[in-house]
């Protein structure tokens, strides 16, 4: 099993995350940000990555620190669980609808941390959650995991639906990329490494 547990404590947040890349989408999520918890559960269910998250933070200031730091710790755990990346498919892509919303994601477990993100420029709140924090969440994952991600909302009006379609598209694309390819030997790179 490709598993990792990462803990991170700062003056702003305390976070512990465990991932199992070869899971079945089981999750236990406890954060002080309800919409973030919902997106983490959605991510686990559709990536088939088992996920345990225990997070607290200074949400009396804003949700920003907790959302960003959960992304950072999740990305670090994914990177550690991937190990040397031998035998993985490396690439994944998905286009996922959520009612009127539609999102596309392409993932390369390249070792190069790059996020190309487009949320149609929409802004607003989902209950108390600032929609623009979705970008901070994905940025935290991508930079700490060392992966390349193109994530784009193609259509939508309801911010909840757009956020959920973005999360599901990322989850499905990542599920493909981390899978072990039974035909592949070694690292999927002509360089011989994905570091």
């Amino acid at each position: 099993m490709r598993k990792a547990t990462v803990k991170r404590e700062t003056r702003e947040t305390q976070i512990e995350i465990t991932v199992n890349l070869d899971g079945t989408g089981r999750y236990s999520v406890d954060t002080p940000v309800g919409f973030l918890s919902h997106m983490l559960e959605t991510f686990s269910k559709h990536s088939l990555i088992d996920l345990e998250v225990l997070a607290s933070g200074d949400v009396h200031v804003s949700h920003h620190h907790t959302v960003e730091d959960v992304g950072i710790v999740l990305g670090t755990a994914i990177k550690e669980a991937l190990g040397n990346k031998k035998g993985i498919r490396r690439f994944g892509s998905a286009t996922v609808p959520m009612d009127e919303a539609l999102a596309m994601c392409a993932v390369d477990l390249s070792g190069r941390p790059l996020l190309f993100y487009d949320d149609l420029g929409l802004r607003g709140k989902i209950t108390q959650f600032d929609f623009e924090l979705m970008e901070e969440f994905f940025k935290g994952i991508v930079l700490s995991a060392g992966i390349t991600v193109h994530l784009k909302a193609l259509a939508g009006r309801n911010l909840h639906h757009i956020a959920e379609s973005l999360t599901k598209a990322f989850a499905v694309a990542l599920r493909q990329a981390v899978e072990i390819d039974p035909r592949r030997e070694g690292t999927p790179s002509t360089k011989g490494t994905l570091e």
Side-chain angles (χ1 to χ4, degrees):
M1 291 283 194
R2 296 173 297 161
K3 299 171 79 171
T5 298
V6 175
K7 296 180 183 179
R8 184 175 192 262
E9 291 194 18
T10 71
R11 291 174 61 190
E12 298 168 340
T13 62
Q14 299 79 43
I15 299 164
E16 180 176 345
I17 295 181
T18 298
V19 299
N20 174 5
L21 301 183
D22 301 307
T24 59
R26 295 175 57 188
Y27 55 81
S28 172
V29 175
D30 183 2
T31 85
V33 182
F35 191 74
L36 174 63
S37 295
H38 178 44
M39 292 301 97
L40 289 164
E41 293 166 355
T42 297
F43 166 78
S44 175
K45 179 61 72 174
H46 293 284
S47 66
L48 295 183
I49 294 173
D50 290 349
L51 183 63
E52 295 176 24
V53 179
L54 182 59
S56 61
D58 57 355
V59 293
H60 63 285
V61 174
S62 84
H63 292 166
H64 188 284
H65 297 148
T66 302
V67 172
E68 180 181 38
D69 287 1
V70 166
I72 289 168
V73 177
L74 178 56
T76 303
I78 290 168
K79 182 176 183 177
E80 288 187 14
L82 279 167
N84 61 19
K85 302 180 186 173
K86 288 187 176 174
I88 63 169
R89 295 190 187 277
R90 178 180 169 177
F91 302 103
S93 64
T95 304
V96 174
M98 173 69 187
D99 295 347
E100 89 297 344
L102 183 67
M104 177 279 298
C105 184
V107 171
D108 178 6
L109 304 183
S110 60
R112 295 183 300 277
L114 297 164
L115 174 64
F116 300 90
Y117 180 87
D118 183 355
D119 59 11
L120 302 174
L122 298 172
R123 293 294 173 261
K125 288 190 178 286
I126 305 166
T127 57
Q128 297 303 309
F129 184 87
D130 292 317
F131 177 67
E132 61 263 32
L133 290 180
M134 291 302 298
E135 183 174 7
E136 298 305 317
F137 173 65
F138 289 116
K139 190 185 301 180
I141 295 171
V142 166
L143 295 180
S144 59
I147 61 180
T148 298
V149 173
H150 290 256
L151 184 57
K152 183 172 184 174
L154 302 174
R157 292 182 303 276
N158 181 294
L159 296 181
H160 186 141
H161 295 166
I162 294 168
E164 193 158 338
S165 65
L166 288 165
T167 302
K168 288 176 178 176
F170 174 67
V172 174
L174 187 66
R175 171 185 170 183
Q176 294 170 11
V178 303
E179 280 183 339
I180 298 296
D181 185 342
R183 295 176 56 206
R184 185 173 305 282
E185 292 182 15
T187 304
S189 171
T190 55
K191 295 181 181 74
T193 182
L194 289 172
E195 297 300 320

